[in-house]
Amino acid sequence: MSDRGFRKSFSFRLFRLFAGIMLVLAPIFTLGVISYQKDRITADLIREGKIISMLLRNNLRTWVFAENVDRIRDTLNDVIGSRNIDSVEVYNSKGEIMVRQHTQRHPDMEAAPQPLDIGSLRFLADDEGSFQVLRKEGTIDILSPVTMESSANADEALYFDIKSDQKKISRIGYLKTRISKDVLSSEVRRIIIRVTIGFALAMLAGLVVLYVMVRKVTTPLTDLAEQVRRFGLGEPVEKVSALTDDEVGRLADAFNSMAENLHMREAETRALQERLKQSEKLEAVGRLARGIAHDFNNILSTIQGSVYLLEKKFSDHTMIVNYTSQIQNSLVRARGLIQSIIIFSKAKTMSRRPVELNSVIRRLEPALRTIAGEEVLLDLSLAGNDLVILGDAVQIEQLIVNLSGNARDAMPEGGRLSVRTKELVIPERSAGEAEGPEPGSMPGYGPGRYALVEVADTGIGIDERIKDKIFEPFFTTRENGKGTGLGLSIVYGIVEQHQGHISLESEKGAGTTFTISFPLFERTAKNRILVSEVGTHG
Ligand SMILES: Nc1ncnc2c1ncn2[C@@H]1O[C@H](COP(=O)(O)OP(=O)(O)OP(=O)(O)O)[C@@H](O)[C@H]1O
Ligand SMILES: [Mg+2]
């Protein structure tokens, strides 16, 4: 596929959409994770700061009370090495700095610390759990009071409603633990790296899955496109495999049945063209033959007249009478031939009357027995119902005689000549039914009712190589003079004139069956008038 073709392809667009979605989702997801992690780490840091503050408060209480700066510093030194502690400051009860310890991380903290603004401090209570958290740019300050418990004054208890064993809590100083947020930015970096790698992997896996899915969808489509392209160029197409039951599968099905239908129509058109060519050829030869036959008939009449006169004049001369009777015989054969040519050339106009096929054949039975002779068994098998067609009974007789003659000639050693009739009904394709060949349909037949005539023999069969020549006028395989080669072309002409259809099946050595179909004459109201006018002929 060319670069441009690929970029226009469905697969590429799907990939692009997927990649786009991933690229939009990745930063949103990353930001979400970062914000969540930031909150979580901040909460952890605050909790850690509170725990350290609580421990320090307990340990510092005595030294703050005693204002022992050295011991305070010692106590602070124990925690100042902790991972996230930036600095710890201890103030006295007035908010003045007593001690400040800090890590090496912030040398700028060398500046003198400011006194604590006690007034702005809001603790919920002066007990163990009270803290105030101040979030700043890179740090979190956790402020808490250092308190001391003392028993309530017994005198005060007299005046105020205080129980004698109640404790009094007083603030003796303040503690400020500063936590560094450095850990946060390193954590954010880690998250970004992890999410990026995660997304890259997910994208890779997604692309693989997408590729497989897209292939599954696009392979039949590509197939289909290829077949449609070939179809457009008139090349033979293959069936598109429709494995799925989705839109693509249905499309493939539709294409398959469309191609099949078109193939069928093409075959029908070809057959029709073939028939047209054949009739054009017949028409040309027919015109020629008609001219010859006409002149020939006149010549034969003259010869016949002369022979008649000769016979009369020399009736005593046995020799001459012998010769003239031979000439007469030849003249009869010649007249028969001319008759054939005239029929073939359609010189004889065909009459159109309702003809019942079974009765035509029954009437012809004695003649057929004569044609079959001693060696060949005649087998008539006629349809139970009347088969009325519109046409010429004499021509139909001619057709059956010609086919039977050929059949007999194909069985020099004897055999069986069968003449059968039956009715064929090709149903109308009901609306909404899927397109495709009708079950039981035959190529070349539209829906309707037909009369079939079959003439079959068990003879030598017809060679595949001459099958398409046998209907041509003057085509014969018989020895010189034995056949005119007009028999089947006359049959063809008769079938044509009756708007019928002829086909044959033959197997070398096993026999041949010619099947002829004629449209049945429907007894519609209009046709019934015609029948009553002309009467059933036959
Ligand atoms: N039933 C058949 N079995 C075998 N071959 C046949 C059969 N029918 C026709 N043919 C072949 O077709 C050729 C043409 O037949 P067609 O009837 O047109 O002429 P013909 O029989 O040779 O001559 P004519 O009919 O004038 O005696 C025959 O020569 C024969 O080879
Ligand atoms: Mg013949």
Side-chain angles (χ1 to χ4, degrees):
M1 206 187 289
S2 72
D3 188 42
R4 212 169 136 254
F6 172 71
R7 264 191 258 167
K8 273 167 117 183
S9 78
F10 174 63
S11 341
F12 176 73
R13 278 184 293 155
L14 216 62
F15 278 135
R16 204 174 46 189
L17 182 72
F18 175 73
I21 291 173
M22 289 294 256
L23 283 180
V24 171
L25 279 185
I28 294 176
F29 185 78
T30 313
L31 286 179
V33 171
I34 287 172
S35 144
Y36 168 76
Q37 288 292 73
K38 257 184 170 173
D39 287 352
R40 197 182 58 79
I41 292 167
T42 308
D44 281 353
L45 284 176
I46 290 171
R47 196 166 34 193
E48 190 183 328
K50 281 181 179 175
I51 290 168
I52 288 170
S53 296
M54 216 141 75
L55 283 170
L56 277 177
R57 258 176 1 186
N58 283 340
N59 296 350
L60 284 173
R61 187 168 290 138
T62 320
W63 311 124
V64 172
F65 184 70
E67 296 189 1
N68 187 334
V69 174
D70 289 335
R71 299 308 291 271
I72 293 175
R73 193 163 282 133
D74 288 347
T75 311
L76 294 189
N77 278 344
D78 292 342
V79 297
I80 207 71
S82 283
R83 203 159 60 104
N84 296 318
I85 304 291
D86 236 12
S87 65
V88 184
E89 288 162 7
V90 179
Y91 297 84
N92 63 18
S93 56
K94 292 189 212 93
E96 294 156 356
I97 185 87
M98 289 174 80
V99 177
R100 178 161 82 168
Q101 289 293 76
H102 57 83
T103 58
Q104 292 305 307
R105 259 180 288 180
H106 291 282
D108 56 305
M109 286 198 95
E110 294 305 334
Q114 296 296 310
L116 207 61
D117 179 9
I118 302 169
S120 70
L121 296 177
R122 296 276 175 276
F123 299 113
L124 283 177
D126 282 336
D127 61 11
E128 299 278 302
S130 62
F131 297 101
Q132 187 166 352
V133 179
L134 301 171
R135 289 163 201 249
K136 301 206 170 139
E137 181 52 31
T139 56
I140 302 166
D141 285 350
I142 295 172
L143 279 154
S144 64
V146 181
T147 53
M148 188 87 165
E149 269 178 21
S150 58
S151 295
N153 193 318
D155 297 338
E156 283 175 18
L158 283 175
Y159 300 104
F160 306 105
D161 190 17
I162 302 170
K163 292 219 163 63
S164 62
D165 58 343
Q166 214 162 3
K167 305 280 186 199
K168 187 176 177 228
I169 295 169
S170 51
R171 289 181 195 173
I172 54 170
Y174 297 95
L175 179 71
K176 182 158 129 192
T177 312
R178 179 162 285 184
I179 313 273
S180 160
K181 280 192 192 168
D182 283 356
V183 65
L184 259 182
S185 45
S186 67
E187 184 65 13
V188 166
R189 262 198 307 279
R190 249 181 52 219
I191 291 170
I192 290 176
I193 291 170
R194 269 200 218 160
V195 171
T196 309
I197 292 173
F199 259 93
L201 288 178
M203 194 129 144
L204 209 71
L207 285 180
V208 170
V209 171
L210 196 71
Y211 178 77
V212 172
M213 275 167 58
V214 164
R215 288 287 302 180
K216 239 180 110 177
V217 175
T218 55
T219 304
L221 277 180
T222 317
D223 258 21
L224 193 65
E226 171 61 13
Q227 296 307 324
V228 169
R229 187 190 67 78
R230 297 179 60 161
F231 195 74
L233 293 176
E235 291 171 14
V237 295
E238 284 160 24
K239 255 190 152 186
V240 181
S241 57
L243 300 174
T244 51
D245 195 24
D246 53 12
E247 289 84 344
V248 178
R250 283 200 291 277
L251 191 63
D253 275 345
F255 173 79
N256 286 341
S257 67
M258 179 191 80
E260 210 170 282
N261 271 333
L262 271 163
H263 268 315
M264 250 170 54
R265 283 194 195 137
E266 251 172 40
E268 276 170 22
T269 310
R270 264 201 301 277
L272 211 68
Q273 279 169 346
E274 201 51 46
R275 283 170 67 184
L276 201 69
K277 219 164 76 188
Q278 182 78 358
S279 16
E280 273 169 5
K281 227 185 316 185
L282 283 179
E283 183 62 36
V285 180
R287 262 200 307 276
L288 178 72
R290 204 153 49 229
I292 296 172
H294 182 74
D295 291 346
F296 231 70
N297 238 353
N298 292 344
I299 297 166
L300 284 183
S301 300
T302 317
I303 297 173
Q304 210 163 21
S306 306
V307 172
Y308 176 71
L309 290 176
L310 271 177
E311 239 175 14
K312 255 191 142 177
K313 197 159 184 184
F314 299 101
S315 52
D316 309 335
H317 294 72
T318 339
M319 260 285 257
I320 291 181
V321 170
N322 255 347
Y323 286 137
T324 50
S325 70
Q326 263 183 41
I327 294 174
Q328 284 288 12
N329 283 343
S330 294
L331 280 174
V332 169
R333 274 183 55 207
R335 275 207 180 277
L337 174 58
I338 295 293
Q339 196 54 36
S340 294
I341 291 176
I342 288 170
I343 294 173
F344 160 72
S345 68
K346 301 179 191 172
K348 191 167 171 282
T349 45
M350 171 191 141
S351 66
R352 281 172 74 81
R353 292 157 185 273
V355 178
E356 206 283 299
L357 288 180
N358 292 335
S359 53
V360 170
I361 293 167
R362 251 180 244 120
R363 211 176 43 220
L364 209 59
E365 194 178 341
L368 291 179
R369 287 210 184 281
T370 315
I371 291 172
E374 298 278 296
E375 309 289 333
V376 174
L377 189 80
L378 177 70
D379 173 20
L380 289 191
S381 148
L382 305 180
N385 53 325
D386 282 359
L387 298 173
V388 181
I389 66 164
L390 205 61
D392 189 323
V394 179
Q395 286 199 7
I396 301 293
E397 281 173 8
Q398 174 90 44
L399 175 148
I400 291 165
V401 165
N402 282 10
L403 289 176
S404 302
N406 283 351
R408 191 258 341 268
D409 292 346
M411 301 183 284
E413 254 99 75
R416 176 193 293 266
L417 162 63
S418 312
V419 180
R420 296 184 281 262
T421 61
K422 53 184 141 181
E423 188 178 332
L424 171 71
V425 180
I426 311 252
E428 197 74 56
R429 198 191 293 281
S430 49
E433 223 175 87
E435 289 280 307
E438 196 68 45
S441 72
M442 293 171 77
Y445 294 91
R449 296 172 65 229
Y450 297 89
L452 292 192
V453 179
E454 279 178 12
V455 178
D457 63 62
T458 55
I460 53 171
I462 301 175
D463 200 311
E464 195 62 43
R465 283 169 300 182
I466 63 161
K467 253 186 192 167
D468 50 350
K469 290 208 183 81
I470 55 170
F471 291 105
E472 283 180 11
F474 307 111
F475 176 84
T476 178
T477 56
R478 305 197 203 295
E479 295 151 34
N480 271 350
K482 287 252 175 84
T484 62
L486 281 177
L488 282 182
S489 41
I490 289 171
V491 167
Y492 194 88
I494 294 172
V495 172
E496 281 270 284
Q497 286 198 30
H498 285 77
Q499 270 115 47
H501 186 268
I502 184 163
S503 62
L504 76 133
E505 259 177 60
S506 184
E507 201 181 320
K508 202 106 181 66
T512 306
T513 304
F514 282 91
T515 306
I516 299 133
S517 70
F518 297 108
L520 268 180
F521 178 68
E522 303 287 345
R523 292 188 180 271
T524 58
K526 195 174 131 220
N527 287 344
R528 216 167 290 146
I529 297 167
L530 189 66
V531 175
S532 63
E533 272 172 9
V534 295
T536 305
H537 181 95

